[in-house]
Amino acid sequence: MNVNLLEKLLRDVKEGRLDVPSALQGLRSLPFEELEFATLDTHRALRQGYPEVVFSQGKSTAQMKAIIKNMLGRGENVLATRVDAAKGKALMKAFPKGEYREVPSTFFVKSHPVKKSGKGTILVISAGTSDVPVAEEAATTAEYMGNSVKRLFDVGVSGIHRLLHRKEELWEARVLIVVAGMEGALPSVVAGLVARPVIAVPTSVGYGANLGGLTTLMAMLNSCASGVTVVNIDNGFGAAYAASMMNKE
Amino acid sequence: MNVNLLEKLLRDVKEGRLDVPSALQGLRSLPFEELEFATLDTHRALRQGYPEVVFSQGKSTAQMKAIIKNMLGRGENVLATRVDAAKGKALMKAFPKGEYREVPSTFFVKSHPVKKSGKGTILVISAGTSDVPVAEEAATTAEYMGNSVKRLFDVGVSGIHRLLHRKEELWEARVLIVVAGMEGALPSVVAGLVARPVIAVPTSVGYGANLGGLTTLMAMLNSCASGVTVVNIDNGFGAAYAASMMNKE
Amino acid sequence: MNVNLLEKLLRDVKEGRLDVPSALQGLRSLPFEELEFATLDTHRALRQGYPEVVFSQGKSTAQMKAIIKNMLGRGENVLATRVDAAKGKALMKAFPKGEYREVPSTFFVKSHPVKKSGKGTILVISAGTSDVPVAEEAATTAEYMGNSVKRLFDVGVSGIHRLLHRKEELWEARVLIVVAGMEGALPSVVAGLVARPVIAVPTSVGYGANLGGLTTLMAMLNSCASGVTVVNIDNGFGAAYAASMMNKE
Amino acid sequence: MNVNLLEKLLRDVKEGRLDVPSALQGLRSLPFEELEFATLDTHRALRQGYPEVVFSQGKSTAQMKAIIKNMLGRGENVLATRVDAAKGKALMKAFPKGEYREVPSTFFVKSHPVKKSGKGTILVISAGTSDVPVAEEAATTAEYMGNSVKRLFDVGVSGIHRLLHRKEELWEARVLIVVAGMEGALPSVVAGLVARPVIAVPTSVGYGANLGGLTTLMAMLNSCASGVTVVNIDNGFGAAYAASMMNKE
Amino acid sequence: MNVNLLEKLLRDVKEGRLDVPSALQGLRSLPFEELEFATLDTHRALRQGYPEVVFSQGKSTAQMKAIIKNMLGRGENVLATRVDAAKGKALMKAFPKGEYREVPSTFFVKSHPVKKSGKGTILVISAGTSDVPVAEEAATTAEYMGNSVKRLFDVGVSGIHRLLHRKEELWEARVLIVVAGMEGALPSVVAGLVARPVIAVPTSVGYGANLGGLTTLMAMLNSCASGVTVVNIDNGFGAAYAASMMNKE
Amino acid sequence: MNVNLLEKLLRDVKEGRLDVPSALQGLRSLPFEELEFATLDTHRALRQGYPEVVFSQGKSTAQMKAIIKNMLGRGENVLATRVDAAKGKALMKAFPKGEYREVPSTFFVKSHPVKKSGKGTILVISAGTSDVPVAEEAATTAEYMGNSVKRLFDVGVSGIHRLLHRKEELWEARVLIVVAGMEGALPSVVAGLVARPVIAVPTSVGYGANLGGLTTLMAMLNSCASGVTVVNIDNGFGAAYAASMMNKE
Amino acid sequence: MNVNLLEKLLRDVKEGRLDVPSALQGLRSLPFEELEFATLDTHRALRQGYPEVVFSQGKSTAQMKAIIKNMLGRGENVLATRVDAAKGKALMKAFPKGEYREVPSTFFVKSHPVKKSGKGTILVISAGTSDVPVAEEAATTAEYMGNSVKRLFDVGVSGIHRLLHRKEELWEARVLIVVAGMEGALPSVVAGLVARPVIAVPTSVGYGANLGGLTTLMAMLNSCASGVTVVNIDNGFGAAYAASMMNKE
Amino acid sequence: MNVNLLEKLLRDVKEGRLDVPSALQGLRSLPFEELEFATLDTHRALRQGYPEVVFSQGKSTAQMKAIIKNMLGRGENVLATRVDAAKGKALMKAFPKGEYREVPSTFFVKSHPVKKSGKGTILVISAGTSDVPVAEEAATTAEYMGNSVKRLFDVGVSGIHRLLHRKEELWEARVLIVVAGMEGALPSVVAGLVARPVIAVPTSVGYGANLGGLTTLMAMLNSCASGVTVVNIDNGFGAAYAASMMNKE
């Protein structure tokens, strides 16, 4: 480790095994290692108990296996997202202790138990049944990152009573992830009912003027309710990651 | 009238004052006059009691005066939309019996009393205070077209209880015009609560990713609630006109 | 039911079986159930005779079967839209009393006879032969919702006489659905000929600068004729649903 | 002139005043002058009787005066487009023989009479009164380029009988320029009635989803009628120029 | 035919076989038939020798066969565009006298010889080899419509000498169709060299910021050279049709 | 208050002053008041010490004064955003105890001291000097909402050492708001250095391909670093509000 | 050669074998041949040692073989880009001395050794592993064009230390090609660290609001660091070609 | 300096004045200072003789004065871009030795003579007269950065002979900046004639479908000629800066 290296260098100087110009030269080449270790410290802090994450889309099964194997070798938990059924089957065969979930298209392998890290509950809400895969990606990711997670699905605004009926659950959450397609109205309604951070996740569910989710995304960015922040289309993982940051002590 | 002309032509043929080839030639030049009278009949039916309408934007005060004078000369009621305060003042001076309303930017002059034509009530709903000018354009136009109109303003989705509190009024309307900017969520919520036609009017209220109302428009076209149809951005007049068609016997 | 619950609570208070603070507490948890029954009433009113609707796109045949079976179990008529030929065949096998129509890609199963509900006729007009599937989705849906429906196909504006030739049919309709792709001009021409609500349905028929129907959609929103409202691209179902609302008593 | 220069060079070679290598060297530096004269020939042919054109937008009055003076000095007729009223007044003062027209915002000064050059008539059609300035830019430009021009204004598709009533005029034109804003439907209807080239000019008349004329432009490019070609938004001049090319012998 | 019907009606009136009121009634129901025959006259004039055209994209082989058979039955020449190789093979089998061309994806069957109708030559120019299919669609269509056609391919602006080398051919054409993808610069250069109408056809050749041809289309609409008009992306057929109109006497 | 009303109703029932059917009827009309009071409870909790907020853009000074006066009358602190210098001056005159800040364009009036509510520090980072107004709107809002706020301005990615030099400050924050225009890269770099929620605020600083901030917004939504959520263009207020939610106990 | 032709013409004039008018006529038809030889000279200079390039996308294997064979026949080195694995295999079989590289999808055949032409090193940097194919297209192309090339992959801004750690390599390059997807931030950071030209290559890596690379492209055009120029999405070849121009003496 | 600090720290360790843990702690806080000095070295190298640059748009005259004064105090030359006439006048008054140029809107003050730094000539080409301000911003900036600059204006592609006539000048340049609006075709033509880097600068000159320069920008990114890289709309400064990097030894 760098700290050890630095300590050794200083000891070498102290004890006369290294003269000052050579030490200086050595240090000049160090700063970024130095930086790196600093950063890694941060990252380590950041990752306490968090899994390493692999975005599978566009990667072959062979590439996936190699990456996961490497990560497991470092003693990390590993979460792969956007894993289709065929890849999931192949990964299960390669890592029989892993867990493949079809709806959120996630694959997870433990090196160590997931450490509970969040302070409160993350509530994942979805508007329609078609939004469930993205909502499940969010919920599953948040669980694997050590959070307590609840789900509240199929409560879109065209039947507003379904949401209002569950307001207690809204009030109990510490962070809310709201997943919706179409006109993307749900986060505005939710944010008007709670005093907690609301992360809006637009989905690409829709057709025509939906423009592959772009309309939903834009609508959410124009929410008339304060407290809403937005992530990219279908980015359930990103919402869960951000929610985990918000849910920390 | 063309019918008379036709009758005369036929009598001329019958009585030998016109030979067949000449009559044929005469008929060839007729069909569109024929068409026109047919169409005008339709239009007359359409306009029973409806005012003539002038879109003032981009027209000078002088042009406005000439047009209105001409229409009044035909015995019509006249409604001018998008009349700013300065033009409004000038028109009031020119037509002292007229009525200028500042918020909806409308100017109206009667030649005859407005005839009640609608069967039920048109309810105009607005999400925020900034949407009121467009909502008032809709409400005012609907009134001048002979409908019974109610208003329900400032009931946006970020405080959903404001809308739900007034659900009786929603249920009583025969046609609903819902005016909203930002994420445009209100028509979806309203359409989920009623079994009547809902006309969504996006407004250009907003900034940044709102894109001058385009985001709102697109969101409304993606409404997850059935029964919603949409008009152009800020088109309160168009919504009222369509609502009048729907409200007819 | 909630009303019974409420009555019981009040009686319990009246008769001393429940003290006021406990009753108060009980009422605090009630309002949304209260809301729900109110809303359900509405929905029941709304749906008198209307079928339940399933949007099939993105759903597996297995999911479709389960949903339809569930709905039939509630005694409802069921309409599935966007059902491709393969799914249609499978559903016919599962529900032999159903009716699959290939052009509009609809599947319908009756629990009870369709109740005539509309006051007048809904006329569905299409511009070109490629627009027929969307036009048929609209016409079929409107029929299953209990309306009297007429069709007027292949009367696009590049041969305007085809439309004008049929003007009587235009004048007789109570609501008009106009389906067109390309430059989307037909609704403007139709709305200029009638005094009834015109619902414009843009289709994704076209290429290049058509942008998957977006150009058509935008053009329709800019119709120079008053009385036109617009739904999402290819949304024949939505147009029919809105038309049914307009055609009610 | 280059032809003279070339002839002189060749005579010098012939008569021994110039040796071959020097002549060769001289020719190597010539080709583009050569090209230029060739091209100029073309351009001269092209411009027979056509005015030089100045696009005034973004140019100061002083710049305009200098450019026009220079062109007049070459014996050309000069047409300036997009000349607002203030500039027009200043130019009239500087060139009292000029002609300023307010509606099309054109200024024209003759050095020589306009030579009739077109074979038939160019018919300029406009949909609404707001489209007239662009239509007049087209009509005026076509006249100054020596064409016989007719105008047919305010015949938009929402009152289709107005156009049909004038079909004889449509049939008599050799080239048709159709100017429209909003949904841009008029060129499709016109092209369905004639067997002549139709140039569509979208205008920036409209608001909201009109997107400054972009919707109209796109719609026209998707015309369902064959024979329509399109120019840039508000480009009346360009349409007239192209029409002049089409109207040549 | 309607003319005959009309003549008969008039003769019946003349000769007392029909009274005036009945004739009047008969005429009232005629106007659009009247209109139709007028229009058909136009169309007949328009089509002298022109083939009927079928846009094959999105049509099944069975549909194609039926349509073509029907058209041949009316004694017309038939041109089908966008016919892929498989469909082409099937059509050749069904109509062995037809002609399938693979590059432009056209299928043509004669009922009568193609009548030469154009006055001059239509020159079809393409920028790159990838633009050839669209250019060939234009050239082939123009030929089948009776024009004399020349081709000048692979003369894009990045090697400008290739175009300039052929300037004589440019000068000899009466109408020029310029097909290009990428930055769409070629029409501007060509229009600067000739005094004839230039029809620009953008192709969808390109990637990334090309946006499926939209960039090319927009660039062409902004041509700095006068005399350029534009058609939809990949619309070789439309360009040829418009060019035929321009090339008429 | 509703609670009192309910209590009174129940006591009236208990003590026989109100029969059950009447009470039931009274309750049926209550639910939304019921709902409202529930919601208001939430809102009250939400707002503990938070100011009421007025978005000034598009409101007249007179409207502003009336709104602020009304809010102060309810004993609230009031924050007005987007207050230009002229309005600011007028408001200072009307409410001399208020505080107008020119750079963030905010006006604030206290009814009571701001209560410290956040657990940690909110760090507001800006990329360039032009982003400062938006950054200050965020910082100022966060302060008025009771948070401890630090600022780190002018540390854009083109001089990455400026940011890295301050990494301790990054590590100490509980929530980070990162304000940037142009390519919007700063949030990605910051999120790679910390394990806390990062709220990205795109600004409309830029020109040309910046598209009024849309490019920056889109880039931020595509951040390659996890943990970033995004708000609308120039929405410093919204970022601060969301950050306050995240910074709560 | 034209020079010979010209010389002969001049000698013919000099020696009386050709009179001046005929010579003049002969010269009039020459200019573009003249132009062409001039241009070809340029092109020859340009191509010293550079390979001929074939863009394979959209070309059949047969077409590819013919083109390559033709180029080899002219004694050129040939580089084909966008060659998928199947085509690559076929080309290897047809030209066994060729070299197919799978990651950059390039195929290269030598007619002569690649001549080192660049003055310094071109450094190709990529942000993520998914950007590697485009980065390799750039690196490979630059190598085949005779440049000394280094690679620095997987140094995206979310782990900024990875880049900073390698700053010596940045400083040593003469031209830098920076390939990135997502928010496209890397070129800004790199350009802030060096005083050399930086060519940014956006990739289509991403989803949702990435819009197929358009967001990345736009972001790069808005780089806050000076010295960045941009090429089309995924255009590794174009970047390498431009870099070669910059790397010349 | 940090180097001195480091040396002192090492000597203190060596000589026992500082123990190893304290030194280690001291080093942990150093790395970014270390980084900074490294980076500053780079920046110093980068800026040899280059002016500091201020983007004036959106800055007040007072802010401008303060910034320039500060920069001059550091002994730098200062270049301000986007300085309108009023600001220019004020700056001339404040810094009488400065130089204001109206067309490119630049203001320049020397602290020391501009050092010639470029190896060859930068040629700035513009298509039309309206593009001159942007072209002059590029040319002026390049001059102030120590380059030899030539100008070639008004050589747009609609009169291609104007460009070809000047080909010698094209061939002599080491870097070419090509400024154009409208369809943006000029860079493609230029890049086809030279073997040097071509930087394309789109301008916002145009209207309608030009979309404020976006069309031009997109077209340039799709150039069919290799060797073209692109900067943001109207970014003459950025092009000159990048050209200076390319023109270095």
Side-chain angles (χ1 to χ4, degrees), chain G residues 121-136 138-140 143 148-157 159-173 175-180 186-187 189-190 193-194:
Chain G
T121 298
I122 294 174
L123 179 65
V124 180
I125 304 176
S126 86
T129 47
S130 318
D131 304 317
V132 166
V134 176
E136 271 298 335
T140 302
E143 285 168 352
S148 167
V149 174
K150 289 201 176 161
R151 287 156 174 86
L152 179 50
F153 288 178
D154 203 20
V155 293
V157 300
I160 197 73
H161 60 283
R162 294 176 299 183
L163 179 72
L164 298 177
H165 191 51
R166 309 283 290 270
K167 69 178 188 296
E168 307 286 339
E169 291 167 60
L170 301 184
W171 294 346
E172 282 161 9
V175 182
L176 299 97
I177 294 172
V178 185
V179 181
L186 192 54
V189 176
V190 169
L193 293 171
V194 301

Side-chain angles (χ1 to χ4, degrees), chain D residues 1-2 8 10 17-18 36 67 78 93 97 110 114 118 120 151 175-176 187 192 194 204 212 222 237 246:
Chain D
M1 283 311 297
N2 283 312
K8 185 175 174 307
L10 290 170
R17 282 189 299 273
L18 190 70
E36 187 174 31
I67 293 169
V78 178
K93 203 168 160 189
K97 292 186 183 166
K110 269 190 224 178
V114 171
R151 288 157 173 85
V175 183
L176 300 96
V194 302
S204 53
N222 280 281
F237 165 76
M246 297 175 196

Side-chain angles (χ1 to χ4, degrees), chain C residues 213-233:
Chain C
L214 200 57
T215 289
T216 314
L217 170 66
M218 286 305 191
M220 287 174 169
L221 285 161
N222 280 280
S223 174
C224 59
S226 302
V228 177
T229 60
V230 185
V231 297
N232 196 0
I233 298 163

Side-chain angles (χ1 to χ4, degrees), chain B residues 88-168:
Chain B
K89 208 174 157 184
L91 292 181
M92 282 306 295
K93 206 169 159 187
F95 307 95
K97 291 186 183 167
E99 179 183 57
Y100 178 68
R101 296 194 189 169
E102 191 159 0
V103 174
S105 301
T106 54
F107 178 75
F108 184 70
V109 208
K110 270 189 224 180
S111 290
H112 55 78
V114 172
K115 184 182 151 190
K116 280 286 155 194
S117 68
K119 195 176 171 182
T121 298
I122 295 175
L123 178 65
V124 180
I125 305 176
S126 86
T129 47
S130 319
D131 304 317
V132 167
V134 175
E136 272 296 338
E137 186 186 277
T140 301
T141 297
E143 285 167 352
Y144 290 140
M145 288 182 78
N147 298 283
S148 167
V149 174
K150 290 202 177 160
R151 289 156 173 87
L152 179 49
F153 289 178
D154 202 19
V155 292
V157 299
S158 70
I160 196 73
H161 60 285
R162 295 176 298 185
L163 178 72
L164 299 177
H165 192 50
R166 310 284 288 272
K167 68 177 188 298
E168 308 285 341

Side-chain angles (χ1 to χ4, degrees), chain F residues 157-158 160 164 182-183 185 188-189 192-193 207 209-210 215 218-219 221-225, chain G residues 157-158 160 164 182-183 185 188-189 192-193 207 209-210 215 218-219 221-225:
Chain F
V157 299
S158 71
I160 197 73
L164 299 178
M182 320 287 289
E183 82 279 67
S188 297
V189 176
L193 294 171
Y207 59 92
N210 181 272
T215 289
M218 286 305 191
L221 285 162
N222 280 280
S223 175
C224 60
Chain G
V157 300
S158 71
I160 197 73
L164 298 177
M182 320 285 288
E183 82 279 67
S188 297
V189 176
L193 293 171
Y207 60 92
N210 182 271
T215 290
M218 286 304 191
L221 285 161
N222 280 280
S223 174
C224 59

Side-chain angles (χ1 to χ4, degrees), chain B residues 186-197:
Chain B
L186 192 54
S188 297
V189 176
V190 169
L193 294 171
V194 301
R196 290 293 182 181

Side-chain angles (χ1 to χ4, degrees), chain H residues 77-203:
Chain H
N77 287 353
V78 178
L79 169 60
T81 62
R82 309 262 169 128
V83 180
D84 61 37
K87 257 185 219 169
K89 206 172 158 186
L91 292 181
M92 281 307 294
K93 204 167 161 189
F95 307 95
K97 291 187 183 167
E99 181 183 56
Y100 178 67
R101 296 191 189 174
E102 191 159 0
V103 174
S105 300
T106 54
F107 178 73
F108 184 69
V109 208
K110 269 188 224 180
S111 290
H112 55 77
V114 172
K115 185 182 151 190
K116 280 284 157 197
S117 69
K119 196 175 170 185
T121 298
I122 294 174
L123 179 65
V124 180
I125 304 176
S126 87
T129 47
S130 319
D131 304 317
V132 167
V134 175
E136 272 296 335
E137 185 185 278
T140 300
T141 298
E143 285 168 352
Y144 289 141
M145 288 182 78
N147 299 283
S148 168
V149 174
K150 290 201 175 159
R151 288 157 173 86
L152 180 50
F153 288 179
D154 202 18
V155 294
V157 300
S158 71
I160 197 75
H161 61 284
R162 293 175 300 183
L163 178 72
L164 298 177
H165 192 50
R166 309 286 286 273
K167 68 178 189 297
E168 308 285 339
E169 292 167 59
L170 301 184
W171 293 346
E172 282 161 9
R174 194 161 181 247
V175 182
L176 299 96
I177 294 172
V178 185
V179 181
M182 319 286 288
E183 82 280 67
L186 192 55
S188 298
V189 177
V190 168
L193 294 171
V194 302
R196 291 295 182 180
V198 172
I199 303 172
V201 189
T203 67

Side-chain angles (χ1 to χ4, degrees), chain G residues 82-100:
Chain G
R82 309 261 169 127
V83 181
D84 61 37
K87 258 185 217 168
K89 206 172 156 186
L91 292 181
M92 281 306 295
K93 204 168 159 189
F95 307 95
K97 290 187 183 168
E99 180 185 55
Y100 178 68

